[in-house]
Amino acid sequence: MALMTGEQYVESIRRMDIKIFMFGERVSSAVDHPILRPSLNSVKATYDLAHKPEYEDLMTVKSHASGKKINRFCHIHQSTDDLVKKVKMQRLCGQKTAACFQRCVGMDAFNAIFSTSFECDKKHGTAYHKNFLAFLREAQENDWTVDGAMTDPKGDRSLSPGKQADPDLYLRIVERRKDGIVVRGAKAHQTGICNSHQVLVMPTISMGPEDKDYAVAFAVPLDAENLFMIIGRQSCDTRKLEGTTLDVGNSEFGGVEGLTIFDNVFVPNERIFLNGETDFSGMLVERFAGYHRQSYGGCKVGVGDVLVGAAALAADYNGANRASHVKDKLIEMVHLNETLYSSGIACSSEGFRTESGNYLVDLLLANVCKQNVTRFPYEITRLAEDIAGGLMVTAPSEKDLRDPKLGPYVEKYLRGVASVSTENRLRILRLIENLTLGTAAVGYRTESMHGAGSPQAQRIMIARQGNIEQKKQLAKDIARIE
Amino acid sequence: MKLPQRVRIKYCGGCNPRYDRTALAAKLRAAFPGLDMPETDEDGGPYDFVAVLCGCPAACAEHEGLEGRAGKMLIVSADQYEALAAAVRERLG
């Protein structure tokens, strides 16, 4: 089953015993819960789109391992063209869901571990690459959604993992057995983990020799024993419990995060991809971050496309569409959005082959891409709110619109242009609300800031890769300084 | 029984199409009801003609190895519809 259908994916998640907690209670499954279902639907879209002829050129690819047609989300990049197509696929998925569709993180983890395990084996004589290839083949064959988990809670940021007051604030190995390891710790901010098949865990920072137990990478199924998650709250999340479609803005798609706890989870030897080789922890982090910073040059752009369209419709619906300042604001939104895309494409086109044979993005350009993402979506949302007007946050509820007594007043006084229904006007405004400050703002705004590393993390990488000395020499040459 | 001639419709991935590629394909189908126009290789070739519908001038669709007996045409804009229809008419007519 190298390509699952959306429905097959849903049923495969339903069959798993994933331990999810929310509002202090166990949730039986992400499949049937109204707060979690939109997140599952976003991933489902990645399966559905792969079966549509008009999208298969981006959504599917031939596996380098098996030669079979697979979902691109399970692919190991074989060229810069693959890197470019990844970004294009992400833009497409963002356009179709207006949400985080969650599978990028696994794809980015696949590619980072693929090359890092190869180089680690070469230096240390370990067998992690072989382990990883076996896992990858299974992931491709079963078309798994894999959550790539990097971010530890980190406790006191001024202290290294081993110096924390609580040693579990970075995920660590607590026991080494003949047949595997036992790990304890947590991974925070895991988007879509409640509807994934497997979790691929990586260390979160570069490490010194004293942090051997923290330099660990592995995979386990999400229903592994002693693994559970606590779902994060989102603004407006309980609107999804009200049973209406208008007020949630995007009733079908979304993304949710979970604090994922590994409370002494056993990992068999064959699923271990790093075990104490602290000198490769930094490489793994840097490569994963590079891929994931590239990802944002695709996914956020696709969501931005939807927001630009929503803002334009809001102007159409209230008759402001011909105003020159509105046109100019839409142009600015497109300019910012396409600038994000440009850096996503640029870091892909300038990618290079690693020792293992897969392709890595240009790290300077990937970090520039993500640095832009920490800023431009905020300006795009500001402009969208400007065009939308205050009604996006003051409009009455869908229940009021449907109420026999109140509805006619809502219809009458909140109408924009006569040719568009009040309901449609409110639908667009609620979508803008959803993206700018509702549940989807988690993905489009704050995740743009902190996902794949907070702004300072990119600035450190830009400083490292910026090649200032060469630029000094250029200036000296022009100025004729010996 | 003579089998209908086949025009293979191949799409690019559709990340940011500047026109509706599926609508253009539907228009072509409506104009040539006697032709078979598969969108996948499920039934295999050969094909009499191949229409590669790309959403923009980047034309990144992978169509290497996809050939039509009477040729192949790359479309990157809705404005090319008439030319595509004319090519199908002339070459398969």
Side-chain angles (χ1 to χ4, degrees), chain A residues 53-58 72 81 85 88-89 91-92 95 305 338 341, chain B residues 8 10-17 21-22 39-40 58 60-62:
Chain A
E54 64 268 38
Y55 303 120
E56 70 168 349
D57 219 51
L58 290 179
R72 189 178 291 278
D81 189 51
K85 286 204 163 171
K88 291 185 174 190
M89 170 184 72
R91 183 171 191 169
L92 170 69
Q95 290 171 346
D305 286 329
E338 297 296 342
Y341 185 57
Chain B
R8 168 75 157 93
K10 167 70 184 171
Y11 295 103
C12 71
C15 68
N16 197 21
R21 299 163 301 143
T22 54
E39 295 186 340
T40 68
C60 68
E62 286 179 18

PDB file of all heavy atoms in Angstrom, chain A residues 53-58 72 81 85 88-89 91-92 95 305 338 341, chain B residues 8 10-17 21-22 39-40 58 60-62:
ATOM      1  N   PRO A  53      -5.057  13.394 -10.520  1.00  0.00           N
ATOM      2  CA  PRO A  53      -4.113  13.555 -11.623  1.00  0.00           C
ATOM      3  C   PRO A  53      -3.545  14.973 -11.727  1.00  0.00           C
ATOM      4  O   PRO A  53      -2.389  15.149 -12.103  1.00  0.00           O
ATOM      5  CB  PRO A  53      -4.955  13.215 -12.860  1.00  0.00           C
ATOM      6  CG  PRO A  53      -6.060  12.359 -12.356  1.00  0.00           C
ATOM      7  CD  PRO A  53      -6.341  12.806 -10.959  1.00  0.00           C
ATOM      8  N   GLU A  54      -4.366  15.973 -11.384  1.00  0.00           N
ATOM      9  CA  GLU A  54      -3.900  17.363 -11.532  1.00  0.00           C
ATOM     10  C   GLU A  54      -2.918  17.786 -10.450  1.00  0.00           C
ATOM     11  O   GLU A  54      -2.401  18.896 -10.493  1.00  0.00           O
ATOM     12  CB  GLU A  54      -5.085  18.335 -11.603  1.00  0.00           C
ATOM     13  CG  GLU A  54      -5.948  18.426 -10.371  1.00  0.00           C
ATOM     14  CD  GLU A  54      -7.136  17.473 -10.377  1.00  0.00           C
ATOM     15  OE1 GLU A  54      -6.974  16.326 -10.852  1.00  0.00           O
ATOM     16  OE2 GLU A  54      -8.202  17.870  -9.867  1.00  0.00           O
ATOM     17  N   TYR A  55      -2.658  16.911  -9.477  1.00  0.00           N
ATOM     18  CA  TYR A  55      -1.677  17.247  -8.432  1.00  0.00           C
ATOM     19  C   TYR A  55      -0.594  16.185  -8.263  1.00  0.00           C
ATOM     20  O   TYR A  55       0.368  16.371  -7.518  1.00  0.00           O
ATOM     21  CB  TYR A  55      -2.391  17.476  -7.082  1.00  0.00           C
ATOM     22  CG  TYR A  55      -3.444  18.559  -7.152  1.00  0.00           C
ATOM     23  CD1 TYR A  55      -4.780  18.285  -6.862  1.00  0.00           C
ATOM     24  CD2 TYR A  55      -3.107  19.856  -7.529  1.00  0.00           C
ATOM     25  CE1 TYR A  55      -5.754  19.274  -6.965  1.00  0.00           C
ATOM     26  CE2 TYR A  55      -4.081  20.849  -7.636  1.00  0.00           C
ATOM     27  CZ  TYR A  55      -5.395  20.551  -7.346  1.00  0.00           C
ATOM     28  OH  TYR A  55      -6.343  21.523  -7.450  1.00  0.00           O
ATOM     29  N   GLU A  56      -0.759  15.041  -8.911  1.00  0.00           N
ATOM     30  CA  GLU A  56       0.149  13.920  -8.650  1.00  0.00           C
ATOM     31  C   GLU A  56       1.602  14.223  -9.008  1.00  0.00           C
ATOM     32  O   GLU A  56       2.519  13.649  -8.434  1.00  0.00           O
ATOM     33  CB  GLU A  56      -0.325  12.635  -9.358  1.00  0.00           C
ATOM     34  CG  GLU A  56      -0.196  12.692 -10.851  1.00  0.00           C
ATOM     35  CD  GLU A  56      -0.386  11.332 -11.531  1.00  0.00           C
ATOM     36  OE1 GLU A  56      -0.426  10.294 -10.835  1.00  0.00           O
ATOM     37  OE2 GLU A  56      -0.500  11.332 -12.756  1.00  0.00           O
ATOM     38  N   ASP A  57       1.808  15.159  -9.934  1.00  0.00           N
ATOM     39  CA  ASP A  57       3.187  15.462 -10.336  1.00  0.00           C
ATOM     40  C   ASP A  57       3.995  16.041  -9.175  1.00  0.00           C
ATOM     41  O   ASP A  57       5.210  15.875  -9.116  1.00  0.00           O
ATOM     42  CB  ASP A  57       3.177  16.453 -11.506  1.00  0.00           C
ATOM     43  CG  ASP A  57       4.245  16.126 -12.530  1.00  0.00           C
ATOM     44  OD1 ASP A  57       4.299  14.966 -12.954  1.00  0.00           O
ATOM     45  OD2 ASP A  57       5.036  17.026 -12.875  1.00  0.00           O
ATOM     46  N   LEU A  58       3.308  16.731  -8.260  1.00  0.00           N
ATOM     47  CA  LEU A  58       3.990  17.230  -7.060  1.00  0.00           C
ATOM     48  C   LEU A  58       3.842  16.272  -5.888  1.00  0.00           C
ATOM     49  O   LEU A  58       4.779  16.076  -5.107  1.00  0.00           O
ATOM     50  CB  LEU A  58       3.414  18.595  -6.642  1.00  0.00           C
ATOM     51  CG  LEU A  58       3.716  19.779  -7.545  1.00  0.00           C
ATOM     52  CD1 LEU A  58       3.064  21.040  -7.003  1.00  0.00           C
ATOM     53  CD2 LEU A  58       5.225  19.996  -7.683  1.00  0.00           C
ATOM     54  N   ARG A  72       5.198  12.060  -1.868  1.00  0.00           N
ATOM     55  CA  ARG A  72       6.448  12.829  -1.744  1.00  0.00           C
ATOM     56  C   ARG A  72       6.809  13.100  -0.281  1.00  0.00           C
ATOM     57  O   ARG A  72       7.978  13.308   0.039  1.00  0.00           O
ATOM     58  CB  ARG A  72       6.353  14.136  -2.528  1.00  0.00           C
ATOM     59  CG  ARG A  72       7.678  14.884  -2.635  1.00  0.00           C
ATOM     60  CD  ARG A  72       7.565  16.147  -3.463  1.00  0.00           C
ATOM     61  NE  ARG A  72       7.340  15.893  -4.867  1.00  0.00           N
ATOM     62  CZ  ARG A  72       8.294  15.588  -5.748  1.00  0.00           C
ATOM     63  NH1 ARG A  72       9.549  15.517  -5.365  1.00  0.00           N
ATOM     64  NH2 ARG A  72       8.006  15.361  -7.018  1.00  0.00           N
ATOM     65  N   ASP A  81      15.888  19.473  -8.020  1.00  0.00           N
ATOM     66  CA  ASP A  81      14.517  19.495  -8.544  1.00  0.00           C
ATOM     67  C   ASP A  81      13.543  18.923  -7.503  1.00  0.00           C
ATOM     68  O   ASP A  81      12.426  19.428  -7.329  1.00  0.00           O
ATOM     69  CB  ASP A  81      14.446  18.694  -9.842  1.00  0.00           C
ATOM     70  CG  ASP A  81      13.103  18.858 -10.538  1.00  0.00           C
ATOM     71  OD1 ASP A  81      12.678  20.004 -10.730  1.00  0.00           O
ATOM     72  OD2 ASP A  81      12.465  17.834 -10.856  1.00  0.00           O
ATOM     73  N   LYS A  85      10.438  20.861  -5.871  1.00  0.00           N
ATOM     74  CA  LYS A  85       9.083  20.297  -5.920  1.00  0.00           C
ATOM     75  C   LYS A  85       8.493  20.121  -4.532  1.00  0.00           C
ATOM     76  O   LYS A  85       7.281  20.191  -4.336  1.00  0.00           O
ATOM     77  CB  LYS A  85       9.086  18.978  -6.691  1.00  0.00           C
ATOM     78  CG  LYS A  85       9.244  19.222  -8.188  1.00  0.00           C
ATOM     79  CD  LYS A  85       8.701  18.111  -9.042  1.00  0.00           C
ATOM     80  CE  LYS A  85       8.516  18.635 -10.467  1.00  0.00           C
ATOM     81  NZ  LYS A  85       8.185  17.586 -11.410  1.00  0.00           N
ATOM     82  N   LYS A  88       7.003  23.446  -3.740  1.00  0.00           N
ATOM     83  CA  LYS A  88       5.779  23.647  -4.531  1.00  0.00           C
ATOM     84  C   LYS A  88       4.627  22.807  -3.970  1.00  0.00           C
ATOM     85  O   LYS A  88       3.489  23.263  -3.898  1.00  0.00           O
ATOM     86  CB  LYS A  88       6.037  23.286  -5.998  1.00  0.00           C
ATOM     87  CG  LYS A  88       6.971  24.258  -6.701  1.00  0.00           C
ATOM     88  CD  LYS A  88       7.101  23.937  -8.176  1.00  0.00           C
ATOM     89  CE  LYS A  88       7.929  25.026  -8.873  1.00  0.00           C
ATOM     90  NZ  LYS A  88       7.881  24.898 -10.331  1.00  0.00           N
ATOM     91  N   MET A  89       4.951  21.570  -3.567  1.00  0.00           N
ATOM     92  CA  MET A  89       3.921  20.706  -2.977  1.00  0.00           C
ATOM     93  C   MET A  89       3.380  21.335  -1.696  1.00  0.00           C
ATOM     94  O   MET A  89       2.172  21.314  -1.428  1.00  0.00           O
ATOM     95  CB  MET A  89       4.514  19.329  -2.670  1.00  0.00           C
ATOM     96  CG  MET A  89       3.592  18.447  -1.844  1.00  0.00           C
ATOM     97  SD  MET A  89       4.323  16.867  -1.395  1.00  0.00           S
ATOM     98  CE  MET A  89       5.539  17.357  -0.181  1.00  0.00           C
ATOM     99  N   ARG A  91       3.292  24.503  -0.910  1.00  0.00           N
ATOM    100  CA  ARG A  91       2.426  25.641  -1.238  1.00  0.00           C
ATOM    101  C   ARG A  91       1.029  25.140  -1.620  1.00  0.00           C
ATOM    102  O   ARG A  91       0.023  25.683  -1.173  1.00  0.00           O
ATOM    103  CB  ARG A  91       3.053  26.458  -2.385  1.00  0.00           C
ATOM    104  CG  ARG A  91       2.246  27.679  -2.723  1.00  0.00           C
ATOM    105  CD  ARG A  91       2.937  28.607  -3.700  1.00  0.00           C
ATOM    106  NE  ARG A  91       2.221  29.876  -3.770  1.00  0.00           N
ATOM    107  CZ  ARG A  91       2.679  30.962  -4.363  1.00  0.00           C
ATOM    108  NH1 ARG A  91       3.858  30.953  -4.950  1.00  0.00           N
ATOM    109  NH2 ARG A  91       1.968  32.079  -4.376  1.00  0.00           N
ATOM    110  N   LEU A  92       1.024  24.108  -2.447  1.00  0.00           N
ATOM    111  CA  LEU A  92      -0.259  23.526  -2.855  1.00  0.00           C
ATOM    112  C   LEU A  92      -1.069  23.067  -1.638  1.00  0.00           C
ATOM    113  O   LEU A  92      -2.260  23.374  -1.519  1.00  0.00           O
ATOM    114  CB  LEU A  92      -0.003  22.343  -3.800  1.00  0.00           C
ATOM    115  CG  LEU A  92      -1.211  21.460  -4.134  1.00  0.00           C
ATOM    116  CD1 LEU A  92      -2.211  22.213  -4.995  1.00  0.00           C
ATOM    117  CD2 LEU A  92      -0.758  20.182  -4.844  1.00  0.00           C
ATOM    118  N   GLN A  95      -2.501  25.899   0.265  1.00  0.00           N
ATOM    119  CA  GLN A  95      -3.639  26.488  -0.437  1.00  0.00           C
ATOM    120  C   GLN A  95      -4.907  25.669  -0.212  1.00  0.00           C
ATOM    121  O   GLN A  95      -6.000  26.214  -0.123  1.00  0.00           O
ATOM    122  CB  GLN A  95      -3.363  26.526  -1.949  1.00  0.00           C
ATOM    123  CG  GLN A  95      -2.294  27.524  -2.366  1.00  0.00           C
ATOM    124  CD  GLN A  95      -1.895  27.363  -3.835  1.00  0.00           C
ATOM    125  OE1 GLN A  95      -2.222  26.363  -4.471  1.00  0.00           O
ATOM    126  NE2 GLN A  95      -1.174  28.344  -4.356  1.00  0.00           N
ATOM    127  N   ASP A 305      -1.626  32.568   0.381  1.00  0.00           N
ATOM    128  CA  ASP A 305      -2.455  32.698  -0.829  1.00  0.00           C
ATOM    129  C   ASP A 305      -3.938  32.766  -0.454  1.00  0.00           C
ATOM    130  O   ASP A 305      -4.694  33.570  -1.018  1.00  0.00           O
ATOM    131  CB  ASP A 305      -2.233  31.486  -1.755  1.00  0.00           C
ATOM    132  CG  ASP A 305      -0.892  31.536  -2.482  1.00  0.00           C
ATOM    133  OD1 ASP A 305      -0.408  32.644  -2.767  1.00  0.00           O
ATOM    134  OD2 ASP A 305      -0.336  30.452  -2.766  1.00  0.00           O
ATOM    135  N   GLU A 338       5.084  36.320  -2.077  1.00  0.00           N
ATOM    136  CA  GLU A 338       5.955  35.774  -3.122  1.00  0.00           C
ATOM    137  C   GLU A 338       7.440  35.918  -2.751  1.00  0.00           C
ATOM    138  O   GLU A 338       8.284  35.162  -3.235  1.00  0.00           O
ATOM    139  CB  GLU A 338       5.674  36.447  -4.475  1.00  0.00           C
ATOM    140  CG  GLU A 338       4.260  36.223  -5.012  1.00  0.00           C
ATOM    141  CD  GLU A 338       3.918  34.764  -5.331  1.00  0.00           C
ATOM    142  OE1 GLU A 338       4.835  33.936  -5.463  1.00  0.00           O
ATOM    143  OE2 GLU A 338       2.706  34.464  -5.424  1.00  0.00           O
ATOM    144  N   TYR A 341       8.142  32.867  -0.882  1.00  0.00           N
ATOM    145  CA  TYR A 341       8.253  31.752  -1.837  1.00  0.00           C
ATOM    146  C   TYR A 341       9.617  31.796  -2.548  1.00  0.00           C
ATOM    147  O   TYR A 341      10.255  30.756  -2.726  1.00  0.00           O
ATOM    148  CB  TYR A 341       7.118  31.867  -2.849  1.00  0.00           C
ATOM    149  CG  TYR A 341       7.014  30.739  -3.847  1.00  0.00           C
ATOM    150  CD1 TYR A 341       6.864  29.423  -3.426  1.00  0.00           C
ATOM    151  CD2 TYR A 341       7.017  30.993  -5.214  1.00  0.00           C
ATOM    152  CE1 TYR A 341       6.742  28.390  -4.345  1.00  0.00           C
ATOM    153  CE2 TYR A 341       6.884  29.967  -6.139  1.00  0.00           C
ATOM    154  CZ  TYR A 341       6.754  28.668  -5.697  1.00  0.00           C
ATOM    155  OH  TYR A 341       6.626  27.635  -6.606  1.00  0.00           O
TER     156      TYR A 341
ATOM    157  N   ARG B   8      -3.632  11.752 -24.226  1.00  0.00           N
ATOM    158  CA  ARG B   8      -3.232  11.683 -22.811  1.00  0.00           C
ATOM    159  C   ARG B   8      -3.139  13.104 -22.265  1.00  0.00           C
ATOM    160  O   ARG B   8      -2.382  13.929 -22.792  1.00  0.00           O
ATOM    161  CB  ARG B   8      -1.887  10.969 -22.684  1.00  0.00           C
ATOM    162  CG  ARG B   8      -1.216  11.081 -21.316  1.00  0.00           C
ATOM    163  CD  ARG B   8      -1.896  10.192 -20.282  1.00  0.00           C
ATOM    164  NE  ARG B   8      -0.960   9.885 -19.200  1.00  0.00           N
ATOM    165  CZ  ARG B   8      -0.866  10.603 -18.077  1.00  0.00           C
ATOM    166  NH1 ARG B   8      -1.637  11.653 -17.881  1.00  0.00           N
ATOM    167  NH2 ARG B   8       0.027  10.247 -17.149  1.00  0.00           N
ATOM    168  N   LYS B  10      -1.795  15.287 -19.402  1.00  0.00           N
ATOM    169  CA  LYS B  10      -0.806  15.244 -18.315  1.00  0.00           C
ATOM    170  C   LYS B  10      -0.757  16.623 -17.666  1.00  0.00           C
ATOM    171  O   LYS B  10      -0.594  17.640 -18.341  1.00  0.00           O
ATOM    172  CB  LYS B  10       0.570  14.866 -18.900  1.00  0.00           C
ATOM    173  CG  LYS B  10       1.748  15.070 -17.962  1.00  0.00           C
ATOM    174  CD  LYS B  10       1.748  14.089 -16.819  1.00  0.00           C
ATOM    175  CE  LYS B  10       2.896  14.395 -15.849  1.00  0.00           C
ATOM    176  NZ  LYS B  10       2.793  13.606 -14.625  1.00  0.00           N
ATOM    177  N   TYR B  11      -0.911  16.646 -16.323  1.00  0.00           N
ATOM    178  CA  TYR B  11      -0.884  17.924 -15.617  1.00  0.00           C
ATOM    179  C   TYR B  11       0.466  18.153 -14.935  1.00  0.00           C
ATOM    180  O   TYR B  11       1.144  17.201 -14.533  1.00  0.00           O
ATOM    181  CB  TYR B  11      -1.940  17.940 -14.508  1.00  0.00           C
ATOM    182  CG  TYR B  11      -3.369  17.860 -14.969  1.00  0.00           C
ATOM    183  CD1 TYR B  11      -4.070  16.660 -14.874  1.00  0.00           C
ATOM    184  CD2 TYR B  11      -4.024  18.982 -15.458  1.00  0.00           C
ATOM    185  CE1 TYR B  11      -5.394  16.580 -15.265  1.00  0.00           C
ATOM    186  CE2 TYR B  11      -5.351  18.905 -15.852  1.00  0.00           C
ATOM    187  CZ  TYR B  11      -6.038  17.701 -15.752  1.00  0.00           C
ATOM    188  OH  TYR B  11      -7.346  17.622 -16.140  1.00  0.00           O
ATOM    189  N   CYS B  12       0.807  19.411 -14.739  1.00  0.00           N
ATOM    190  CA  CYS B  12       1.893  19.732 -13.806  1.00  0.00           C
ATOM    191  C   CYS B  12       1.315  19.550 -12.396  1.00  0.00           C
ATOM    192  O   CYS B  12       0.140  19.213 -12.248  1.00  0.00           O
ATOM    193  CB  CYS B  12       2.373  21.175 -14.000  1.00  0.00           C
ATOM    194  SG  CYS B  12       1.194  22.417 -13.426  1.00  0.00           S
ATOM    195  N   GLY B  13       2.106  19.820 -11.367  1.00  0.00           N
ATOM    196  CA  GLY B  13       1.628  19.580  -9.999  1.00  0.00           C
ATOM    197  C   GLY B  13       0.639  20.601  -9.475  1.00  0.00           C
ATOM    198  O   GLY B  13      -0.034  20.365  -8.472  1.00  0.00           O
ATOM    199  N   GLY B  14       0.547  21.750 -10.117  1.00  0.00           N
ATOM    200  CA  GLY B  14      -0.503  22.706  -9.752  1.00  0.00           C
ATOM    201  C   GLY B  14      -0.265  23.519  -8.502  1.00  0.00           C
ATOM    202  O   GLY B  14      -1.185  23.793  -7.747  1.00  0.00           O
ATOM    203  N   CYS B  15       0.986  23.959  -8.248  1.00  0.00           N
ATOM    204  CA  CYS B  15       1.270  24.706  -7.015  1.00  0.00           C
ATOM    205  C   CYS B  15       0.714  26.126  -7.058  1.00  0.00           C
ATOM    206  O   CYS B  15       0.360  26.684  -6.031  1.00  0.00           O
ATOM    207  CB  CYS B  15       2.769  24.753  -6.738  1.00  0.00           C
ATOM    208  SG  CYS B  15       3.714  25.729  -7.922  1.00  0.00           S
ATOM    209  N   ASN B  16       0.644  26.732  -8.230  1.00  0.00           N
ATOM    210  CA  ASN B  16       0.186  28.121  -8.318  1.00  0.00           C
ATOM    211  C   ASN B  16      -0.284  28.404  -9.744  1.00  0.00           C
ATOM    212  O   ASN B  16       0.230  29.300 -10.402  1.00  0.00           O
ATOM    213  CB  ASN B  16       1.347  29.053  -7.936  1.00  0.00           C
ATOM    214  CG  ASN B  16       0.871  30.440  -7.603  1.00  0.00           C
ATOM    215  OD1 ASN B  16      -0.290  30.649  -7.272  1.00  0.00           O
ATOM    216  ND2 ASN B  16       1.758  31.408  -7.724  1.00  0.00           N
ATOM    217  N   PRO B  17      -1.266  27.612 -10.207  1.00  0.00           N
ATOM    218  CA  PRO B  17      -1.657  27.710 -11.616  1.00  0.00           C
ATOM    219  C   PRO B  17      -2.274  29.067 -11.957  1.00  0.00           C
ATOM    220  O   PRO B  17      -3.030  29.613 -11.165  1.00  0.00           O
ATOM    221  CB  PRO B  17      -2.671  26.578 -11.789  1.00  0.00           C
ATOM    222  CG  PRO B  17      -3.172  26.292 -10.414  1.00  0.00           C
ATOM    223  CD  PRO B  17      -2.057  26.605  -9.483  1.00  0.00           C
ATOM    224  N   ARG B  21      -6.603  24.422 -14.996  1.00  0.00           N
ATOM    225  CA  ARG B  21      -6.132  23.377 -15.907  1.00  0.00           C
ATOM    226  C   ARG B  21      -7.196  22.310 -16.145  1.00  0.00           C
ATOM    227  O   ARG B  21      -7.361  21.805 -17.260  1.00  0.00           O
ATOM    228  CB  ARG B  21      -4.865  22.720 -15.354  1.00  0.00           C
ATOM    229  CG  ARG B  21      -3.692  23.694 -15.183  1.00  0.00           C
ATOM    230  CD  ARG B  21      -2.641  23.098 -14.256  1.00  0.00           C
ATOM    231  NE  ARG B  21      -3.241  22.815 -12.966  1.00  0.00           N
ATOM    232  CZ  ARG B  21      -2.944  21.751 -12.217  1.00  0.00           C
ATOM    233  NH1 ARG B  21      -2.040  20.893 -12.612  1.00  0.00           N
ATOM    234  NH2 ARG B  21      -3.547  21.571 -11.062  1.00  0.00           N
ATOM    235  N   THR B  22      -7.923  21.954 -15.068  1.00  0.00           N
ATOM    236  CA  THR B  22      -8.940  20.899 -15.229  1.00  0.00           C
ATOM    237  C   THR B  22     -10.115  21.405 -16.069  1.00  0.00           C
ATOM    238  O   THR B  22     -10.719  20.634 -16.805  1.00  0.00           O
ATOM    239  CB  THR B  22      -9.432  20.383 -13.866  1.00  0.00           C
ATOM    240  OG1 THR B  22      -9.871  21.492 -13.077  1.00  0.00           O
ATOM    241  CG2 THR B  22      -8.333  19.651 -13.123  1.00  0.00           C
ATOM    242  N   GLU B  39      -6.241  10.652 -17.870  1.00  0.00           N
ATOM    243  CA  GLU B  39      -5.386  11.585 -17.110  1.00  0.00           C
ATOM    244  C   GLU B  39      -4.306  10.852 -16.316  1.00  0.00           C
ATOM    245  O   GLU B  39      -3.505  11.485 -15.626  1.00  0.00           O
ATOM    246  CB  GLU B  39      -6.252  12.409 -16.154  1.00  0.00           C
ATOM    247  CG  GLU B  39      -7.225  13.316 -16.890  1.00  0.00           C
ATOM    248  CD  GLU B  39      -7.986  14.241 -15.966  1.00  0.00           C
ATOM    249  OE1 GLU B  39      -8.061  13.940 -14.750  1.00  0.00           O
ATOM    250  OE2 GLU B  39      -8.500  15.259 -16.448  1.00  0.00           O
ATOM    251  N   THR B  40      -4.335   9.538 -16.370  1.00  0.00           N
ATOM    252  CA  THR B  40      -3.293   8.758 -15.691  1.00  0.00           C
ATOM    253  C   THR B  40      -2.813   7.667 -16.647  1.00  0.00           C
ATOM    254  O   THR B  40      -3.419   7.431 -17.686  1.00  0.00           O
ATOM    255  CB  THR B  40      -3.821   8.077 -14.415  1.00  0.00           C
ATOM    256  OG1 THR B  40      -4.754   7.064 -14.805  1.00  0.00           O
ATOM    257  CG2 THR B  40      -4.496   9.069 -13.481  1.00  0.00           C
ATOM    258  N   ALA B  58       6.746  28.181 -16.017  1.00  0.00           N
ATOM    259  CA  ALA B  58       7.838  27.344 -15.496  1.00  0.00           C
ATOM    260  C   ALA B  58       7.760  25.945 -16.091  1.00  0.00           C
ATOM    261  O   ALA B  58       8.769  25.252 -16.235  1.00  0.00           O
ATOM    262  CB  ALA B  58       7.787  27.272 -13.976  1.00  0.00           C
ATOM    263  N   CYS B  60       6.875  22.861 -15.249  1.00  0.00           N
ATOM    264  CA  CYS B  60       7.712  21.881 -14.555  1.00  0.00           C
ATOM    265  C   CYS B  60       7.146  20.453 -14.598  1.00  0.00           C
ATOM    266  O   CYS B  60       7.697  19.563 -13.954  1.00  0.00           O
ATOM    267  CB  CYS B  60       7.955  22.316 -13.111  1.00  0.00           C
ATOM    268  SG  CYS B  60       6.472  22.272 -12.088  1.00  0.00           S
ATOM    269  N   ALA B  61       6.067  20.236 -15.325  1.00  0.00           N
ATOM    270  CA  ALA B  61       5.497  18.879 -15.397  1.00  0.00           C
ATOM    271  C   ALA B  61       6.537  17.890 -15.923  1.00  0.00           C
ATOM    272  O   ALA B  61       7.307  18.213 -16.836  1.00  0.00           O
ATOM    273  CB  ALA B  61       4.283  18.872 -16.312  1.00  0.00           C
ATOM    274  N   GLU B  62       6.544  16.712 -15.324  1.00  0.00           N
ATOM    275  CA  GLU B  62       7.466  15.678 -15.809  1.00  0.00           C
ATOM    276  C   GLU B  62       6.778  14.892 -16.919  1.00  0.00           C
ATOM    277  O   GLU B  62       5.846  14.146 -16.661  1.00  0.00           O
ATOM    278  CB  GLU B  62       7.864  14.756 -14.655  1.00  0.00           C
ATOM    279  CG  GLU B  62       8.840  15.422 -13.712  1.00  0.00           C
ATOM    280  CD  GLU B  62       9.228  14.541 -12.547  1.00  0.00           C
ATOM    281  OE1 GLU B  62       9.021  13.317 -12.628  1.00  0.00           O
ATOM    282  OE2 GLU B  62       9.725  15.097 -11.559  1.00  0.00           O
TER     283      GLU B  62
END
